[in-house]
């Protein structure tokens, strides 16, 4: 029963993607949206043309590095600060407010500032880290706070220290929430990196998008967007798989 | 029978909570000494502060007035020394650990080496030997409570605190677990407080039954249970048992109408 509904939902998922691509192809082929909307097949053949692999792989490499670095740094900071906030009650309001304020700054608005402060090659990682930070802070905090009162009571009566409560109760209990955070943070890190590159990074998908747009290279623009979407979706899907394994055990 | 554990002294203990601007008295001037190795049940109408009394003995709440001492120590110190065992209506087992790992938990918290033999014995005693690798969600409600009681007992605590551990179970399972708990307890009489709604459960398990009034909880009656130990389930068919159960029910009923709106 469960596997039947599961395969049905997978089938519907594929159907949705197929309809999307079909619609894209039709609009492009009949030029319903004008010349700036190429058909799906044109974009894909542009993307897989071997002479352009060098261009795309250099851009992809730069973006993946920026994203990976930002993801690791932002994730680690978000996690660590959330743990600190849960361990030291007095710090909590301050850390909550600071994180919310940091999150309220639009990435687009702070990007030029980062470029001046950190230089064009570090700005993509920094923006990516900023995006990931808040998601990880919130998901870790929520997970750590989710231990039930009965569990806390048992730990207190058994004489557990705060640290023991953290690693024997709160952290394992927070794991599903943390993994969900990691999944949601993956596309956010891609967005951060691309916005960072947009403002003049030496290479990367963001740079490719901007220059394709300015030079009216329509298939290049669309190909780059497809690439960016693909890495975002792959990262999201990968963590979705891990998440399913973790949820099965920890809930 | 071997008497173990430590006495518990409730010295004029009161507890009130502030809810908004109002102060609500939950427990009022309870004076009681529970002897070492004695099993005492608290019964009373819901909201009478039964659980509050247990929570003060467990160092989960501090009394507003008066003192709780276990042996010569305040409850918080007993907890720090890992000398309390507790089981709630919510089994509060960790869902990501197996039954065995859950029962091991108090060893880990106390930073003591895990005594596998002792765990085997206790799992056997509570009838979970074959389920030691199962996770809590794979067990029935009764089995989860058994695991929870095994966890409470594994460090051989000085005091065992039971807050309606069988409250969510069906009558048949509950009766079954009462008989099992009686057997387990009879092996090594640990000073025990049981909070319950069930007059039969209180009578069958306890040396004394304390009846509390409606809010705020005051002691209105302390009934010594005259049956010897170990008790067989046939005690529950004794006419005296029924007589005492009726008496207790009657003393409870006096307060049913007095609950605040």
């Amino acid at each position: 029963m469960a596997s039947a509904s599961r395969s049905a939902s997978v089938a519907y998922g594929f159907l949705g993607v197929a309809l999307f691509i079909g619609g894209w192809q039709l609009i492009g082929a009949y030029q319903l949206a004008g010349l700036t909307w190429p058909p799906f097949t044109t974009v894909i053949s542009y993307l897989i043309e071997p002479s352009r692999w060098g261009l795309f792989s250099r851009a992809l490499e730069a973006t993946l590095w920026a994203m990976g670095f930002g993801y690791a740094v932002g994730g680690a900071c978000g996690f660590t600060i959330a743990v600190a906030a849960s361990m030291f009650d007095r710090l909590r309001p301050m850390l909550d407010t600071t994180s919310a304020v940091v999150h309220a700054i639009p990435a687009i608005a702070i990007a030029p500032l980062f470029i001046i402060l950190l230089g064009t090659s570090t700005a993509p990682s920094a923006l990516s880290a900023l995006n990931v930070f808040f998601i990880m802070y919130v998901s870790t905090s929520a997970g750590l706070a989710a231990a039930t009162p009965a569990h806390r009571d048992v730990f207190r009566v058994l004489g557990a220290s705060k640290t023991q409560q953290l690693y024997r109760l709160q952290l394992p209990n927070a794991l599903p929430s943390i993994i969900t955070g990691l999944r949601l943070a993956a596309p956010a890190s891609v967005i951060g990196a691309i916005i960072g590159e947009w403002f003049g990074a030496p290479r990367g998908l963001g740079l490719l998008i901007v220059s394709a747009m300015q030079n009216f290279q329509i298939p290049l623009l669309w190909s780059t967007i497809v690439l960016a979407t693909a890495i975002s979706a792959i990262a999201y899907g990968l963590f979705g798989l891990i998440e399913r394994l973790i949820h099965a055990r920890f809930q | 029978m071997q008497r173990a554990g430590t006495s518990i002294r409730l010295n004029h203990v009161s507890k009130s909570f502030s809810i908004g601007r109002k102060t609500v008295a939950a427990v009022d001037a309870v004076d009681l000494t529970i002897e070492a190795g004695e099993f005492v049940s608290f019964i009373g109408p819901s909201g009478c502060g039964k659980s509050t009394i247990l929570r003060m003995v467990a160092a989960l709440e501090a009394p507003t007035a008066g003192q709780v001492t276990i042996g010569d120590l305040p409850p918080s110190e007993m907890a720090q020394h890992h000398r309390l065992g507790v089981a709630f209506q919510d089994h509060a087992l960790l869902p990501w650990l197996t039954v065995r790992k859950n029962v091991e938990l108090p060893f880990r918290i106390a930073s003591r080496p895990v005594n596998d033999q002792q765990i085997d014995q206790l799992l056997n005693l509570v009838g979970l030997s074959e389920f030691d690798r199962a996770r809590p969600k794979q067990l029935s409600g009764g089995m989860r409570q058994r695991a929870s009681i095994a966890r409470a007992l594994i460090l051989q605590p000085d005091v065992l605190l039971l807050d309606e551990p069988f409250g969510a179970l069906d009558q048949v399972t509950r009766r079954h677990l009462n008989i099992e708990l009686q057997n387990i307890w009879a092996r090594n009489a640990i000073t025990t407080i049981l909070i319950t709604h069930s007059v039969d459960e209180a009578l069958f398990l306890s040396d004394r039954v304390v009846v509390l009034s409606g809010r705020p909880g005051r002691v209105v009656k302390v009934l010594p249970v005259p049956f010897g130990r170990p008790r067989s389930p046939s005690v529950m068919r004794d006419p005296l048992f029924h007589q005492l159960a009726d008496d207790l029910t009657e003393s409870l009923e006096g307060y049913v109408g007095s609950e605040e709106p």
Side-chain angles (χ1 to χ4, degrees):
Chain A
M1 202 38 211
S3 80
S5 74
R6 168 128 195 86
S7 52
S9 80
V10 169
Y12 276 116
F14 274 111
L15 185 67
V17 174
L19 280 174
F20 177 77
I21 289 175
W24 174 352
Q25 178 70 18
L26 281 176
I27 293 171
Y30 293 100
Q31 298 195 345
L32 299 176
L35 289 170
T36 51
W37 186 304
F40 178 71
T41 46
T42 310
V43 174
I44 294 303
S45 59
Y46 189 92
L47 197 58
I48 60 174
E49 166 65 44
S51 66
R52 300 196 184 89
W53 286 0
L55 175 75
F56 282 128
S57 66
R58 273 195 306 277
L60 198 59
E61 196 191 332
T63 304
L64 283 176
W65 270 111
M67 164 194 163
F69 192 69
Y71 191 83
V73 171
C77 288
F79 174 81
T80 312
I81 293 177
V83 169
S86 118
M87 289 292 278
F88 306 103
D89 294 335
R90 258 182 264 166
L91 284 182
R92 150 148 259 140
M94 184 187 87
L95 292 172
D96 275 351
T97 318
T98 315
S99 307
V101 168
V102 166
H103 180 63
I105 305 168
I108 277 279
I110 203 167
L113 198 68
F114 274 12
I115 283 166
I116 296 167
L117 282 172
L118 303 167
T120 49
S121 37
T122 323
S125 304
L127 275 174
S128 172
L130 201 64
N131 273 355
V132 171
F133 165 80
F134 187 72
I135 295 175
M136 285 311 293
Y137 178 78
V138 170
S139 65
T140 308
S141 294
L144 291 176
T148 67
H151 279 131
R152 288 169 193 272
D153 285 349
V154 166
F155 271 73
R156 279 173 66 191
V157 176
L158 289 174
S161 67
K162 251 185 153 176
T163 329
Q164 285 177 324
Q165 234 189 85
L166 178 73
Y167 71 81
R168 294 215 178 270
L169 172 63
Q170 289 174 285
L171 276 178
N173 195 60
L175 211 52
S177 172
I178 292 172
I179 299 291
T180 304
L182 285 173
R183 176 166 61 91
L184 298 175
S189 74
V190 179
I191 295 169
I194 288 178
I195 290 176
E197 289 164 355
W198 193 293
F199 288 89
R203 56 170 66 95
L205 292 177
L207 172 75
L208 220 51
I209 291 172
V210 176
S211 81
M213 185 180 71
Q214 285 165 348
N215 297 305
F216 214 67
Q217 292 170 290
I218 301 304
L220 176 63
L221 178 59
W222 283 74
S223 303
T224 316
I225 293 171
V226 167
L227 262 185
T229 310
I231 52 174
S232 204
I234 287 168
Y236 188 80
L238 223 60
F239 277 107
L241 281 179
I242 300 172
E243 190 181 16
R244 227 171 327 123
L245 295 175
I246 298 279
H247 275 253
R249 166 140 188 212
F250 282 79
Q251 275 182 345
Chain B
M1 183 180 40
Q2 185 189 348
R3 288 278 179 188
T6 313
S7 64
I8 302 169
R9 171 122 188 77
L10 297 161
N11 187 2
H12 233 69
V13 171
S14 300
K15 175 76 187 173
S16 49
F17 295 97
S18 15
I19 300 165
R21 258 180 279 167
K22 261 180 32 180
T23 304
V24 179
V27 175
D28 189 34
V30 170
D31 251 319
L32 192 74
T33 302
I34 298 164
E35 303 298 338
E38 194 182 15
F39 194 124
V40 172
S41 294
F42 288 80
I43 61 174
S46 49
C48 74
K50 305 187 286 284
S51 291
T52 309
I53 290 179
L54 179 128
R55 291 177 68 81
M56 288 190 285
V57 179
L60 292 169
E61 308 275 0
T64 318
Q67 260 183 326
V68 181
T69 44
I70 305 176
D72 298 320
L73 298 173
S76 56
E77 240 170 276
M78 293 295 284
Q80 273 166 30
H81 292 125
H82 320 290
R83 286 159 74 181
L84 303 179
V86 73
F88 298 108
Q89 181 170 343
D90 180 335
H91 57 81
L93 297 168
L94 300 176
W96 54 86
L97 296 180
T98 60
V99 166
R100 172 175 283 270
K101 292 276 177 197
N102 265 294
V103 177
E104 274 178 25
L105 182 73
F107 279 117
R108 309 253 180 228
I109 288 177
S111 311
R112 286 183 209 162
V114 174
N115 186 334
D116 284 317
Q117 206 190 336
Q118 213 175 314
I119 290 177
D120 286 335
Q121 274 176 13
L122 194 53
L123 284 175
N124 193 29
L125 196 59
V126 297
L128 287 176
S129 297
E130 288 166 41
F131 297 93
D132 67 332
R133 281 156 189 270
R135 292 196 198 290
K137 69 175 167 192
Q138 297 167 307
L139 303 179
S140 68
M143 287 164 132
R144 288 178 200 153
Q145 286 306 336
R146 287 189 183 130
S148 160
I149 286 171
R151 179 179 62 186
L153 288 170
I154 191 66
L155 291 184
Q156 297 171 318
D158 291 5
V159 168
L160 178 62
L161 302 169
L162 304 171
D163 191 354
E164 298 200 45
F166 310 134
L169 304 178
D170 63 88
Q171 279 306 317
V172 179
T173 313
R174 184 171 192 157
R175 201 180 145 101
H176 215 84
L177 287 188
N178 280 337
I179 294 164
E180 281 182 19
L181 178 61
Q182 208 281 136
N183 289 333
I184 293 167
W185 190 83
R187 290 175 170 232
N188 198 344
I190 297 170
T191 316
T192 301
I193 292 181
L194 170 73
I195 307 298
T196 181
H197 273 113
S198 159
V199 168
D200 288 358
E201 185 170 284
L203 271 177
F204 179 64
L205 290 168
S206 315
D207 297 312
R208 279 190 294 165
V209 179
V210 177
V211 181
L212 295 175
S213 66
R215 196 184 312 134
R218 290 191 187 97
V219 177
V220 289
K221 183 172 187 169
V222 181
L223 177 85
V225 181
F227 307 109
R229 287 185 190 271
R231 288 175 193 162
S232 79
S234 63
V235 164
M236 287 186 258
R237 289 191 291 275
D238 194 308
L240 181 58
F241 189 93
H242 290 294
Q243 173 65 45
L244 291 172
D246 288 346
D247 286 355
L248 283 174
T249 308
E250 202 174 319
S251 54
L252 273 175
E253 269 170 2
Y255 295 95
V256 169
S258 73
E259 263 191 76
E260 281 175 53

